[in-house]
Amino acid sequence: MREFFHPGQKVLFQHHPCTGGAEVVSALQDMYGLYYVAINQPGPKENLTAVLAALAPGLGPQIVSAHTDPVGPLAAHIAVLTFLRDPVERILSEQYFAQHHAAVTGHPAPPILPPRNPDHPLNCIGRNRYLHWACRLAGVEVNAETEVISPVLAMARAVIERGYAMVGITEKFDQSIQLLAKILNWQRVPKTVPQPHAQSGRPKTNEVDPEIVAWAHEETRYDQILYQAALTRFEHDVSGARVIEGE
């Protein structure tokens, strides 16, 4: 079994959809084997219950990955890691992935550009996933309709900057894996494997309808602020860990 931060430490990899997390998972599987488990229950409550049970002190998996946003802060023995991607790129991939998944399963495909809801509040969390999950990790119950006022955004930014044990950056994937290896005391940097099921099959952003791209910018305006904070933290962490590109 590999070393962790300290004896008894357990780790949650908070897997944001369409951030390259499936490829990160390939590294976790490689490094931890039976001490790693991916949790994907059908409902959010069932998912969270399974995650917390798996991360309870004692025997069992010591590192868990899941699409989950527990209302924290979590127990002191649980460290939380995540990867963030440019929010516009992430939401575009999520929209196209939904189309791809519908085609594979035979379900009706949702529109790439969702219909506008004139009653939808302008300054709400909406599809700003990084903001939503960071608030919940701070211990605040929020939803898509929660108004984004300055304290809410500041709280989420504090989580991005200090609440996670590590924030990787999808666009700097190799450096992020190297940083993860240093933080988790791995004896080697594993090779990661892209996962075919995670492909969205979308065109490059400059080939996407400009109206759709404009929608993506509008929908993720708060996550863009948090992503910039994550980039700043990442560069600082990489410098401190002496991780260099192509190392």
Side-chain angles (χ1 to χ4, degrees), residues 16-20 83-96 125-132 153 160 167-172 200 202 205 208 212-232:
H16 288 281
C18 299
T19 57
F83 270 54
L84 301 186
R85 180 184 181 186
D86 180 286
V88 171
E89 298 296 317
R90 194 206 71 77
I91 198 172
L92 287 174
S93 286
E94 189 172 54
Q95 294 300 101
Y96 279 89
I125 287 182
R127 294 172 181 263
N128 291 275
R129 183 181 291 273
Y130 305 157
L131 176 59
H132 188 151
L153 194 57
I160 296 293
V167 177
I169 300 295
T170 304
E171 288 80 4
K172 298 177 180 290
S200 65
R202 74 173 176 90
T205 302
V208 174
I212 296 174
V213 177
W215 167 84
H217 277 276
E218 179 183 343
E219 289 289 311
T220 63
R221 58 189 178 277
Y222 300 118
D223 273 2
Q224 291 169 46
I225 295 170
L226 298 182
Y227 178 72
Q228 290 303 315
L231 277 173
T232 299

Side-chain angles (χ1 to χ4, degrees), residues 56-198:
L59 299 177
Q62 299 210 321
I63 190 160
V64 166
S65 71
H67 296 291
T68 190
D69 56 337
V71 179
L74 297 177
H77 72 281
I78 302 174
V80 186
L81 314 171
T82 197
F83 270 54
L84 301 186
R85 180 184 181 186
D86 180 286
V88 171
E89 298 296 317
R90 194 206 71 77
I91 198 172
L92 287 174
S93 286
E94 189 172 54
Q95 294 300 101
Y96 279 89
F97 177 81
Q99 289 254 328
H100 173 73
H101 184 69
V104 170
T105 59
H107 289 88
I112 295 294
L113 184 63
R116 295 187 180 274
N117 182 353
D119 298 324
H120 196 266
L122 292 177
N123 297 315
C124 64
I125 287 182
R127 294 172 181 263
N128 291 275
R129 183 181 291 273
Y130 305 157
L131 176 59
H132 188 151
W133 287 20
C135 285
R136 287 173 61 85
L137 271 181
V140 178
E141 282 273 17
V142 295
N143 56 43
E145 284 71 43
T146 300
E147 183 182 3
V148 181
I149 55 178
S150 294
V152 169
L153 194 57
M155 176 175 54
R157 182 167 184 151
V159 171
I160 296 293
E161 293 175 336
R162 300 184 295 277
Y164 286 100
M166 179 219 168
V167 177
I169 300 295
T170 304
E171 288 80 4
K172 298 177 180 290
F173 192 83
D174 290 342
Q175 280 184 291
S176 295
I177 292 296
Q178 293 169 33
L179 180 61
L180 185 60
K182 289 180 180 291
I183 287 175
L184 291 179
N185 299 314
W186 293 347
Q187 301 305 306
R188 62 183 174 88
V189 177
K191 291 184 178 180
T192 60
V193 181
Q195 304 298 297
H197 76 276

